[in-house]
Amino acid sequence: MTAAIESRFIDPDAIYDADALARIVFGDTSGPPGIENGVPTLRLKMYGEARDGFAEIWTSAGPIRSGSVNGLVFAHNDEFLFCAGFIPVSDRYTDATRHAYGDAFALAGELNFAKIFRMWNFIPHINGANDEGLEVYRDFCRGRAVAFEQDYANASGMPAATGIGTWGDGVGFCFLACRESTVRHIENSRQTPAYEYPQRYGPKSPSFARGTQLHDTLFVSGTASILGHETVHEGDLDRQWSVATDNIAHLIGAENLEAQGLRSGYTLHDLDQIKVYYRHSADLPRVTKLAQATFDSHASVRYLKVDICRADLLVEIEGIASHRRRSD
Ligand code: 3EB
């Protein structure tokens, strides 16, 4: 059996499926995840006002079991697991991250969902310094890397991910995992694999793949204006936008996928469920225009004003590529 897993964006107050796997509320509050109306819910403070927010709902057919343990909440059907957790705000993240992620990986293993295919990490004060003077993102990356090295037993590799700012009082994280499905982690020949970034970006490299393919769906990681391992076009929003979207187009295109043994290729018009993270409020009108010119007019796009993991990045984009729309 292969059930599909799908996400959609809805109003934060809208009625949602009681058998949803997950609900992530991008609103004006944050905190540890809980089970709300039977559905694991992670609240991330991403906006100053509740009315600006939205919720992302993940659904998959079949009976669902949900629960919570160790501050983690989860839900799964026969094929897919969602798990979320939270690390309170701190001036040192390495150990807490290592433990929280280690617990989450152990839970996924115990529930027999060994393959993580998409992960999100929302980090407060991401460009700030911890009590050793190390940038918070780098501190976080150190703990996450150790958890992947020591507690993530699965050989399928590191998943597609987003590591981005939040206005909340702690790190909110969540991931999706599966059992036996074929999961393929994809790299981008225009970019150095993040897990091979040189040490100048931090003591431990970020733990993620540029994308992950599951069945006919390619989950695209947060993607920015980085070529090789270097930020390009510091201070220039339009140019950063074009490098970021060219990076996505290349990642999901036939040439890059074929070089990694995959047959399907996608274009930017196959991208949906798009999140555009932008650093400066004043850039929103421009970012909206650029998105309208770049993506399919039917694609769902949401905009979030947050800090980005490198102080010189102005914009970062994630989404999901599939051929579904074409055959609609
Ligand atoms: C980059 O390419 C930009 O730390 O999980 C993108 C996606 C980025 C995921 C993460 C970071 C992460 O390095 C930043």
Side-chain angles (χ1 to χ4, degrees), residues 121 137 140-141 144 161-163 191 194 197 206-208 210 221-224 226 308-310 313 316:
N121 313 277
Y137 175 64
F140 161 83
C141 280
R144 176 176 58 172
T162 297
Q191 300 189 287
Y197 280 173
S207 315
F208 70 95
R210 298 295 173 187
S221 292
T223 304
I226 295 174
I308 299 170
C309 69
R310 291 185 184 184
L313 290 173
E316 183 172 310

Side-chain angles (χ1 to χ4, degrees), residues 62-277:
I64 285 175
R65 214 193 111 208
S66 63
S68 47
V69 58
N70 266 341
L72 301 164
V73 300
F74 67 89
H76 67 84
N77 62 6
D78 279 349
E79 280 191 68
F80 299 109
L81 168 73
F82 171 82
C83 178
F86 187 79
I87 303 165
V89 82
S90 165
D91 49 20
R92 197 73 84 102
Y93 282 106
T94 302
D95 289 346
T97 305
R98 191 253 143 110
H99 288 118
Y101 282 55
D103 287 349
F105 295 162
L107 175 65
E110 282 157 25
L111 294 168
N112 198 21
F113 290 91
K115 298 181 177 178
I116 298 178
F117 57 88
R118 186 63 169 96
M119 184 158 202
W120 290 266
N121 313 277
F122 295 92
I123 302 154
H125 311 289
I126 191 167
N127 303 129
N130 77 356
D131 66 358
E132 306 169 288
L134 182 68
E135 189 185 32
V136 168
Y137 175 64
R138 300 174 182 205
D139 188 6
F140 161 83
C141 280
R142 190 163 58 181
R144 176 176 58 172
V146 175
F148 268 103
E149 283 162 19
Q150 307 205 346
D151 304 315
Y152 187 56
N154 189 265
S156 81
M158 286 170 289
T162 297
I164 200 83
T166 171
W167 303 107
D169 292 326
V171 174
F173 67 91
C174 58
F175 61 82
L176 294 162
C178 61
R179 289 184 159 148
E180 296 311 322
S181 309
T182 315
V183 163
R184 284 289 310 270
H185 303 302
I186 314 289
E187 288 303 318
N188 187 336
S189 57
R190 287 163 54 96
Q191 300 189 287
T192 306
Y195 48 81
E196 291 174 3
Y197 280 173
Q199 284 248 330
R200 63 180 239 227
Y201 299 104
K204 285 277 194 181
S205 304
S207 315
F208 70 95
R210 298 295 173 187
T212 297
Q213 170 122 9
L214 175 80
H215 307 311
D216 183 39
T217 302
L218 204 167
F219 296 90
V220 177
S221 292
T223 304
S225 182
I226 295 174
L227 291 174
H229 53 74
E230 287 177 332
T231 301
V232 294
H233 305 308
E234 192 173 342
D236 187 329
L237 178 72
D238 280 31
R239 289 209 166 90
Q240 288 205 8
W241 179 273
S242 25
V243 172
T245 53
D246 286 353
N247 279 344
I248 295 178
H250 183 75
L251 175 80
I252 67 181
E255 182 196 324
N256 186 60
L257 295 185
E258 276 166 19
Q260 294 172 70
L262 291 166
R263 280 196 316 177
S264 61
Y266 311 85
T267 73
L268 288 176
H269 282 272
D270 299 318
L271 202 66
D272 203 350
Q273 295 304 111
I274 297 161
K275 298 190 192 94
V276 175
Y277 303 96

